[in-house]
Amino acid sequence: MEISLGKLPFDLDFHPSSQLVAAGLINGDLLLYRYAAESTPQRLFEVHAHTESCRALRFINGGQAILTGSPDCSILATDVETGSVITRLEDSHGAAINRLANLTESTISSGDDDGCIKVWDTRQRSCCNTFEPHEEYISDMTFASDSMKLIATSGDGTLSVCNLRSNKIQTQSEFSEDELLSVVIMKNGRKVICGTQTGNLLLYSWGFFKDCSDRFVCLSPNSVDALLKLDEDRLITASENGIISLVGILPNRVIQPIAEHSEYPVERLAFSHDQKYLGSISHDNFLKLWDMDEILSGNATSQAVEKDSDNDEMDLDVNTTKFHQAGAKKRKDPGLDNSEDFFADL
């Protein structure tokens, strides 16, 4: 399925229980669609959410609202049923908001272009934690719920670990030569994988974040702008050349390309609530929904063919083994936790 958005999209998210998908656009609009197999997606509403681009969005409160963030420094909560404004927090950050991430049922995090991360508590209706681990933009965030640690990557080339129990920055990696653009946790919490500007995947061992333990270079030289965990051994990568690939981790290998956006950079990836669809958005102004059953069945077929091919080669005794945004260096404007009533109506 393809949805022409008309403008450059920056983020997408799927509803946690219904067949709804939302996208945020460069002109500040928020779009919501209903999708179904073998039918044309239906646009439910289009809201001009922000005066500048809608860079980040997430469904919250069990899918009752959509939270969006923007370079206009505001965070907006929009009602999913009506498209009406629930509440807006002006000046939520001192710099452009670049990422949002769901943490627990009642907390979300936001990251800005100055490297500041805030954690918002919807029950207390306030900003409960502020961390400033980075010098440049927050490119991605992921959450380890068992240890209550927030992992963030930045354009300054470092990865940080913020402990939400102690409200402290627990550790930060050494500077990498690459901008870190995306991050996922894999291998049952033992490995953290980062996508980079040069296309390398950096593998960090949990608890040893100062330097990466391994590098996977087969996706270079195209930047890996988005990562999505499929299972503990496989992830999906999206690159600036428009290629979406299925990649194995430890052993590290590109299993196969699975989708594409005609050489246009892919901004974000997301799964539908039932993982039936993979969603992708790109500079081609399209939101595409890929059927995961078709992707995975195709992968199983290719693996079987590869195995048969390997057996044939063994019989012949032939050895064929071979294997942006730019972060502005600005400092956060202090004293911006004026958010006590932000979630009052959520």
Side-chain angles (χ1 to χ4, degrees), residues 183-322:
V183 61
V184 293
I185 301 172
M186 296 182 65
K187 295 293 182 179
N188 298 304
R190 299 194 306 273
K191 293 291 180 179
V192 174
I193 319 299
C194 297
T196 69
Q197 183 69 35
T198 60
N200 296 330
L201 294 182
L202 305 185
L203 282 65
Y204 292 84
S205 296
W206 189 267
F208 301 91
F209 291 110
K210 287 300 180 182
D211 197 8
C212 64
S213 58
D214 196 5
R215 291 175 184 264
F216 180 41
V217 301
C218 288
L219 297 169
S220 181
N222 298 292
S223 65
V224 180
D225 298 326
L227 295 175
L228 190 62
K229 175 181 172 181
L230 177 60
D231 53 38
E232 298 302 332
D233 301 310
R234 296 175 297 172
L235 56 78
I236 297 171
T237 67
S239 299
E240 65 177 345
N241 63 352
I243 301 298
I244 301 171
S245 300
L246 183 62
V247 174
I249 297 297
L250 298 175
N252 302 330
R253 65 191 184 105
V254 177
I255 298 172
Q256 68 178 47
I258 57 175
E260 55 86 25
H261 275 268
S262 303
E263 299 184 358
Y264 287 90
V266 180
E267 281 285 336
R268 295 285 182 258
L269 301 171
F271 279 131
S272 61
H273 68 93
D274 52 6
Q275 278 203 341
K276 180 172 177 55
Y277 292 101
L278 167 68
S280 61
I281 53 172
S282 167
H283 290 205
D284 62 6
N285 299 344
F286 276 91
L287 189 164
K288 295 187 178 184
L289 303 181
W290 311 91
D291 190 310
M292 287 300 296
D293 289 338
E294 293 181 3
I295 288 174
L296 296 179
S297 63
N299 174 54
T301 300
S302 68
Q303 285 181 324
V305 170
E306 181 181 342
K307 183 176 180 181
D308 290 341
S309 175
D310 289 344
N311 290 337
D312 292 342
E313 288 171 355
M314 288 176 65
D315 292 340
L316 294 172
D317 195 26
V318 177
N319 183 3
T320 59
T321 304
K322 55 181 177 180

